[in-house]
Amino acid sequence: MRVLVVQDDLAGRRHLVHRLEQHGYEAWSAGTGKSALQQHHRVDLVVLDMDVPDIDGLLVCTEIRRESDTPIIALTGRGTEVERVLAFWAGCDDCLDKPFGAEELLARVDAVLRRLRPAPDAHTISHGPLHIDVARREARLGDRALALTRKEFDLLQLLAARPGVVFSRRELRAQVWHDSATATGRTIDTHVNSLRAKLGDTRWIVTVRGVGFQLGRGFSAAA
């Protein structure tokens, strides 16, 4: 699971990223609201300090919520009821008053993700007519079995398990090819194109220019 920490204090956000990584999350940071708005679609949760310097924190929350359902934990500075209420109205899922302990933040991150993003069935993944049996490593599109190579299956499973998440080529290389030196950009593109051909519709896997790939939103129309 991926967490974005948005905080003006460089040392503070580096510490939080380090603690999150120790706790098993993939984490990175941003120092401005603008950067948060550019990156929130890549993560499972945003930890947002409401006192970011460039954009009002409430506006950042509102804009994120306008575009996605990514969970947000707000870090509030004044600790007043009014501030917390405004944060919830703007779309936050939880609030934590500063100063706070890292352990409490980790517990809140765990709780929010557990509540809002329950773990998918470990054995099957389904999107419209696409069904992936993880245990048997079989994929079907409607009544048709898909003849996938090992890496094609791993790639499709990764994308299908996180619909809406955009995976960069670097992330695909790490999670599907495990940083193999042979996993060049051309290798990844070749596997994506092969998967599209076998799925019979390019909309199943969407290219997000300058970022990477994601499972398409038009899968319900695919046959």
Side-chain angles (χ1 to χ4, degrees):
M1 303 294 277
R2 307 172 188 185
V3 179
L4 174 65
V5 177
V6 186
Q7 195 173 37
D8 183 33
D9 176 25
L10 177 59
R13 68 177 187 260
R14 282 180 173 174
H15 173 67
L16 292 181
V17 165
H18 178 65
R19 291 294 290 114
L20 285 160
E21 290 176 338
Q22 286 183 321
H23 199 61
Y25 290 105
E26 181 179 352
W28 62 90
S29 68
T32 64
K34 180 180 179 180
S35 182
L37 294 177
Q38 293 172 338
Q39 299 187 61
H40 72 86
H41 64 281
R42 300 174 53 200
V43 301
D44 300 287
L45 182 142
V46 176
V47 176
L48 173 65
D49 192 323
M50 301 301 282
D51 294 325
V52 286
D54 58 333
I55 305 176
D56 184 89
L58 293 174
L59 180 58
V60 176
C61 290
T62 301
E63 290 300 314
I64 291 176
R65 189 57 65 241
R66 192 194 312 276
E67 297 180 14
S68 73
D69 62 352
T70 304
I72 305 168
I73 296 179
L75 306 179
T76 57
R78 289 172 287 279
T80 66
E81 180 180 6
V82 170
E83 186 178 24
R84 290 191 293 271
V85 169
L86 289 174
F88 283 122
W89 281 352
C92 291
D93 299 280
D94 195 3
C95 291
L96 182 59
D97 295 337
K98 299 184 293 185
F100 57 87
E103 293 304 315
E104 181 177 2
L105 175 63
L106 291 173
R108 288 176 182 262
V109 169
D110 289 343
V112 169
L113 288 173
R114 186 168 58 247
R115 183 172 72 249
L116 298 180
R117 297 290 178 87
D121 189 314
H123 299 290
T124 61
I125 302 171
S126 297
H127 295 292
L130 176 64
H131 303 282
I132 300 171
D133 188 321
V134 177
R136 296 184 178 182
R137 293 185 63 83
E138 296 175 351
R140 304 187 66 86
L141 190 62
D143 296 329
R144 177 168 60 91
L146 300 176
L148 304 180
T149 67
R150 183 167 61 89
K151 290 303 183 185
E152 287 171 353
F153 181 89
D154 292 343
L155 178 58
L156 180 61
Q157 178 189 335
L158 179 63
L159 296 174
R162 305 284 295 283
V165 173
V166 181
F167 290 89
S168 68
R169 286 176 172 81
R170 179 181 178 183
E171 291 165 331
L172 294 177
R173 187 180 299 118
Q175 297 191 48
V176 177
W177 280 268
H178 307 292
D179 281 325
S180 169
T182 61
T184 63
R186 182 182 296 274
T187 299
I188 294 172
D189 289 344
T190 298
H191 280 75
V192 167
N193 290 334
S194 178
L195 263 180
R196 285 171 171 161
K198 292 179 179 181
L199 289 165
D201 193 320
T202 59
R203 291 173 298 175
W204 277 105
I205 301 177
V206 175
T207 301
V208 180
R209 291 192 64 181
V211 184
F213 303 97
Q214 70 179 149
L215 189 75
R217 296 174 181 268
F219 50 72
S220 61

